[in-house]
Amino acid sequence: MQLFYSPTSPYARKCRVVARERGLMADLTETACNPMEDPAELQARNPLGRVPALLLDDGMAIFDSPVIAEYLDGLGPVPALIPAAGSARFKVLVAAALAQGMTDSALLMTMEGRRPQAQQSPEAVARWRASILRGLERMTGHIEGLPGDLTLGHIACGCLLGYLDLRHGALEWRKGRDALAAWFEDFNARPAMRETDPN
Ligand SMILES: N[C@@H](CCC(=O)N[C@@H](CS)C(=O)NCC(=O)O)C(=O)O
């Protein structure tokens, strides 16, 4: 399998962490690219032109990150990161969806900040920022409700927090959130997080 990624993409990082935690790296080649440069090899696999995109050995391409994560979770020897059924499954999927939505807001803020100032919308930025702050208030509760210590929910939340550190330090997400900060410090020390650290 071949994973197209960019080193700073939080969506791609989630899949790269899943692959490492699932013990799949012997079967996975990682190809770095910059989606903003419209690489033909990426667009041939994902017409949306976004990373991550996973190319299977039989030629099938899989995107986007939640689908790739689910595909990878079906492979490999170690216990699944997404429970098969029941409330445990949906706790994991909802925590992952929370992180995914917050990542969407954070990425939109990043992209907005790159536009000429006169074209930026302070109202839109305020809405994205507010959704991240509301998500942060609920994240610890979601993480504490997850089954076990390592699921897709943990990985998605960890990658989102890493992205806030990378691009949105001004949010100071740790302030007043000691429990979440302590959880992230531990999680961020995992080898899979260290190996995929964009800094
Ligand atoms: N919903 C997608 C989002 C992927 C995404 O937006 N990736 C960004 C990089 S962080 C990208 O490739 N952007 C290029 C573009 O939108 O043209 C996923 O979860 O995989």
Side-chain angles (χ1 to χ4, degrees):
M1 298 179 289
Q2 183 181 16
L3 183 75
F4 293 87
Y5 77 103
S6 81
T8 56
S9 167
Y11 307 102
R13 188 180 191 191
K14 176 177 62 186
C15 297
R16 299 177 70 211
V17 170
V18 166
R20 283 161 175 77
E21 295 288 2
R22 299 277 300 139
L24 300 173
M25 292 311 289
D27 297 321
L28 185 70
T29 306
E30 293 181 315
T31 303
C33 62
N34 179 352
M36 302 312 285
E37 291 172 355
D38 294 332
E41 56 172 359
L42 172 64
Q43 293 184 354
R45 274 78 200 205
N46 180 357
L48 305 174
R50 296 181 190 145
V51 290
L54 180 69
L55 178 63
L56 305 186
D57 294 343
D58 67 4
M60 180 180 176
I62 296 188
F63 51 87
D64 49 22
S65 64
V67 186
I68 295 172
E70 185 164 351
Y71 180 81
L72 295 176
D73 202 38
L75 308 175
V78 293
L81 297 167
I82 308 172
S87 78
R89 174 175 176 81
F90 287 96
K91 282 179 181 164
V92 169
L93 292 179
V94 170
L98 175 72
Q100 176 85 358
M102 292 166 70
T103 306
D104 293 342
S105 293
L107 181 66
L108 285 164
M109 283 174 63
T110 304
M111 300 312 283
E112 190 76 359
R114 291 180 185 168
R115 303 174 74 205
Q117 186 124 29
Q119 292 174 23
Q120 294 179 21
S121 165
E123 293 78 15
V125 171
R127 284 190 66 78
W128 297 325
R129 189 174 184 281
S131 76
I132 294 170
L133 295 178
R134 286 194 303 271
L136 285 168
E137 290 316 311
R138 304 272 280 272
M139 189 168 272
T140 301
H142 279 277
I143 290 172
E144 285 174 356
L146 288 170
D149 292 334
L150 184 68
T151 67
L152 181 64
H154 295 95
I155 293 172
C157 290
C159 291
L160 172 271
L161 295 173
Y163 186 70
L164 294 183
D165 280 345
L166 180 70
R167 296 287 193 226
H168 299 291
L171 275 178
E172 297 188 315
W173 68 263
R174 289 175 179 77
K175 230 181 193 166
R177 299 186 190 91
D178 293 351
L180 189 60
W183 172 79
F184 181 67
E185 193 171 331
D186 275 359
F187 184 81
N188 200 30
R190 298 182 74 87
M193 289 295 282
R194 297 297 80 236
E195 283 171 29
T196 57
D197 188 343
N199 292 296

